[in-house]
Amino acid sequence: MVQSLDRLKESASQTAGPYVHIGCTPNYCGIEGVYPQDLGRTMLTPQTKGQRIRIVGRVFDGVGTPLKDAMVELWQADAAGLYNSPQETRGKADPSFTGFGRSAGDMATGEFVFDTVKPGTVPFKDGRPQAPHVTLWIVARGINIGLHTRIYFGDEAAANEADPILSRIEHRSRVETLVAPRTTEEGVPTYRHDIFLQGERETIFFDI
Amino acid sequence: MSGGSFYQRDRQWHPPAYAPIYKTSVTRSPQKALVALDNTLSEMTGPVFGHDVLGPLDDDMIRNFAKDGEPIGQRIIVHGRVLDEDARPVPGALIEVWQANAGGRYRHRKETYLAPLDPNFGGCGRTISGPDGSYRFRTIKPGPYPWPNGPNDWRPAHIHFSIFGHGFAQRLITQMYFEGDPLIWRCPIVATIPDKAAVERLIAPLDMANTVPMDARAYKFDIVLRGRRSTLFENRMEGN
C-alpha cells in the first residue's frame, strides 16, 4: 500500500434548470427589489477603454430549436489584453471594466446580447499571442454541466490563423464554429454568433 | 490558492451531457468529444466580486422579499464552507442560490404549477465566502415540485447553487438536497450523476449543533471547487 493522496472530489455539477433566472438574473424574471441590478448586466461605463462592440447570438438544440431558457456568461480581457482578476500578474487591468458579462436568453427569441469592448491579445502559456477571444460558459435546463467555448473575431483572420489553440484543432472544418463574422447593426460593430449544442454544425466545446 | 492551472475535471464523477433518463438532455448534449484545452490565462483568471455588490439582506431569504410579513414554511439556516480539492478554503467566492417556496412553487413568469406563490418569498439569495471559506443563508425549506419528464416525476426538495471561485475554470452550478428525502433516489436529474458517492456529497445533513433553538433548524452543505497547481512563472515552479 501507499499513502493516500487525500484529495477531495469536486462537487458534482447539476443542471441550472429552467428557473436559473430567479437566482442569477432575478430582475429579468420579474423578481424586483431584491438586487438593484442583475449581476453582469452592464459591462461598460463611459470610462471603459477600448472599441465598443456587440456580441449577439442564440443557442440551438439538436433539432434546431433556439433555447429560450439558457444563461450565457462571458469572460474576457480588457482592450489592453489584461484580465481584471487577482490572478492577473502582468499589470493592472482597466478599473472601469470587470470583463464579466451575464445574459439570459430573451424569453421570446432566445437571443443573448453583450455590449462590451473588443479584447486585446493575451499570451498563450509559451508566450505566443492568442488571437483576441472571449470565453463563454453556457448553462440551461437539459445541460448537466456548463459548456465552455470561445468566440474569436472574423476580422482577425491573420491572428486567428496563428492562434495556438485554433491552429491545433484536428477537424479544420469545425474551427469556423468558434469564429464570429463582423457586421454593423444600429451603427455598432456587431459579431453574430450562434451556438449549436448538437448535430452537423455543432460548436466546439472545450474541456478546460 | 496560488495562481496555477486547475486540476483536470473528473468527468466520470460529474454527470455526462447525454443522460436520457433526463429527457431534455437528449437534444441539448454535444455529440462530439470535448476538445481538451490546457488552462491558459483566459481560464485561470476569473471575476472576483467584492462585498460592495451585496445588500444587507441578500443572504436572508426570510426577509429579502418580505412585503407584509414573513414567508410561510420551515425556517432553516443553510451554511457550510467552500473548499478546493486540496481542502483549502476558498475565500471571496460569490455564491448565488435560488429555490421554490415551501409549496414547491417558483416565482418565475414561465412557471405554471398550481401551488400558490407566497407573497413574502422571492426565492433568491447570495453571499460571499469569508476568509475561512464559510458562508451562511437563512431561508424557508423548499417543497418538492412536479415536472414534465416522466408522467409522475417529482423533484426532491432542493436549493440551486451557483459558485464563482477564483478562476473561470472553477465555475460551477449544482443543487443541494436535504438529508432523508425519499425523492432523492427517485429523481432523474439526481440520477444523471453516475456515482452514488457523488450524489451523497450533494445531500446536506441536518445540523443540530448549529440549529437555533425555538427559531430555525440548520443544514450543513460544503462545496468543493477544483484545486490548482503551483504557479508556473516563466516555466519554473514558483515557490516550489
Side-chain angles (χ1 to χ4, degrees):
Chain A
M1 290 290 285
V2 296
Q3 293 186 9
S4 163
L5 277 173
D6 205 19
R7 252 181 212 129
L8 303 177
K9 295 294 285 184
E10 188 187 8
S11 298
S13 175
Q14 291 269 262
T15 180
Y19 306 127
V20 59
H21 315 101
I22 293 173
C24 296
T25 60
N27 290 291
Y28 178 69
C29 77
I31 300 176
E32 284 150 3
V34 182
Y35 308 150
Q37 186 185 240
D38 290 336
L39 194 77
R41 175 85 177 80
T42 310
M43 296 184 70
L44 299 177
T45 73
Q47 285 73 42
T48 306
K49 298 186 187 78
Q51 183 194 1
R52 267 59 179 165
I53 61 167
R54 183 170 291 158
I55 295 172
V56 187
R58 288 185 290 174
V59 182
F60 289 87
D61 70 12
V63 293
T65 307
L67 274 59
K68 293 170 183 169
D69 51 14
M71 180 177 81
V72 180
E73 290 185 352
L74 181 151
W75 174 240
Q76 68 165 90
D78 68 8
L82 294 169
Y83 283 103
N84 192 334
S85 160
Q87 312 296 331
E88 174 62 83
T89 55
R90 297 167 299 144
K92 184 156 170 49
D94 181 352
S96 301
F97 187 64
T98 67
F100 173 73
R102 176 182 269 176
S103 182
D106 184 277
M107 286 189 200
T109 66
E111 194 166 83
F112 62 83
V113 182
F114 296 99
D115 281 308
T116 183
V117 295
K118 196 164 178 191
T121 300
V122 175
F124 191 58
K125 292 169 67 125
D126 60 9
R128 279 185 291 163
Q130 300 185 68
H133 63 275
V134 301
T135 298
L136 289 190
W137 190 64
I138 302 156
V139 294
R141 175 172 67 98
I143 296 178
N144 290 324
I145 181 164
L147 295 166
H148 284 271
T149 184
R150 285 183 171 195
I151 299 178
Y152 289 82
F153 300 94
D155 55 338
E156 297 281 348
N160 293 343
E161 187 79 22
D163 182 79
I165 290 159
L166 291 182
S167 60
R168 73 172 183 199
I169 289 170
E170 180 188 0
H171 299 119
R172 301 309 301 162
S173 64
R174 300 193 66 206
V175 172
E176 67 184 44
T177 70
L178 300 178
V179 182
R182 176 174 171 134
T183 56
T184 301
E185 294 180 21
E186 298 166 355
V188 182
T190 299
Y191 296 88
R192 275 210 172 256
H193 189 74
D194 289 334
I195 308 281
F196 296 90
L197 296 178
Q198 187 186 85
E200 289 271 309
R201 301 158 76 188
E202 189 171 305
T203 300
I204 289 179
F205 298 105
F206 292 105
D207 188 1
I208 67 174
Chain B
M1 291 200 304
S2 57
S5 58
F6 291 93
Y7 301 151
Q8 182 181 343
R9 206 161 230 168
D10 180 355
R11 290 184 180 270
Q12 311 299 312
W13 174 261
H14 287 285
Y18 176 74
I21 190 172
Y22 173 25
K23 292 181 180 177
T24 314
S25 77
V26 172
T27 58
R28 294 185 174 196
S29 45
Q31 292 167 323
K32 297 178 176 63
L34 300 179
V35 173
L37 171 54
D38 195 10
N39 290 181
T40 72
L41 271 172
S42 310
E43 293 76 36
M44 289 189 273
T45 58
V48 173
F49 302 93
H51 286 265
D52 54 330
V53 306
L54 300 179
L57 297 179
D58 283 7
D59 62 357
D60 187 353
M61 288 185 270
I62 292 179
R63 290 200 294 158
N64 71 10
F65 195 79
K67 302 294 184 236
D68 58 1
E70 292 196 339
I72 302 290
Q74 301 179 27
R75 299 159 66 86
I76 58 169
I77 292 158
V78 176
H79 74 108
R81 291 210 296 158
V82 185
L83 305 168
D84 74 7
E85 290 169 287
D86 291 309
R88 291 179 290 205
V90 182
L94 177 69
I95 303 163
E96 298 165 294
V97 292
W98 65 101
Q99 63 167 89
N101 69 22
R105 174 71 188 267
Y106 283 97
R107 185 173 288 277
H108 190 282
R109 285 178 203 160
K110 291 191 175 176
E111 153 72 281
T112 56
Y113 180 36
L114 51 77
L117 285 169
D118 183 328
N120 293 308
F121 191 74
C124 61
R126 61 186 177 183
T127 190
I128 292 176
S129 61
D132 59 351
S134 64
Y135 75 92
R136 176 187 169 96
F137 292 101
R138 225 163 62 117
T139 188
I140 295 295
K141 189 177 176 192
Y145 167 79
W147 58 301
N149 185 65
N152 190 21
D153 278 338
W154 291 72
R155 295 305 321 283
H158 63 282
I159 299 177
H160 296 265
F161 275 69
S162 164
I163 308 107
F164 290 84
H166 297 176
F168 210 53
Q170 288 178 306
R171 197 75 184 81
L172 181 72
I173 283 182
T174 187
Q175 301 184 25
M176 182 199 109
Y177 304 101
F178 292 85
E179 180 182 7
D181 186 341
L183 289 169
I184 294 171
W185 303 104
R186 298 169 185 258
C187 174
I189 287 178
V190 172
T192 62
I193 299 174
D195 192 325
K196 183 166 181 277
V199 173
E200 287 169 341
R201 292 265 315 282
L202 299 183
I203 304 173
L206 175 66
D207 178 6
M208 289 307 288
N210 282 288
T211 285
V212 182
M214 307 303 285
D215 181 349
R217 284 173 305 140
Y219 284 87
K220 184 163 188 288
F221 185 58
D222 286 343
I223 299 156
V224 180
L225 302 180
R226 296 169 72 178
R228 66 197 313 179
R229 303 183 178 90
S230 300
T231 314
L232 268 175
F233 180 68
E234 291 175 352
N235 297 325
R236 280 180 291 117
M237 290 293 229
E238 195 171 70
N240 283 23

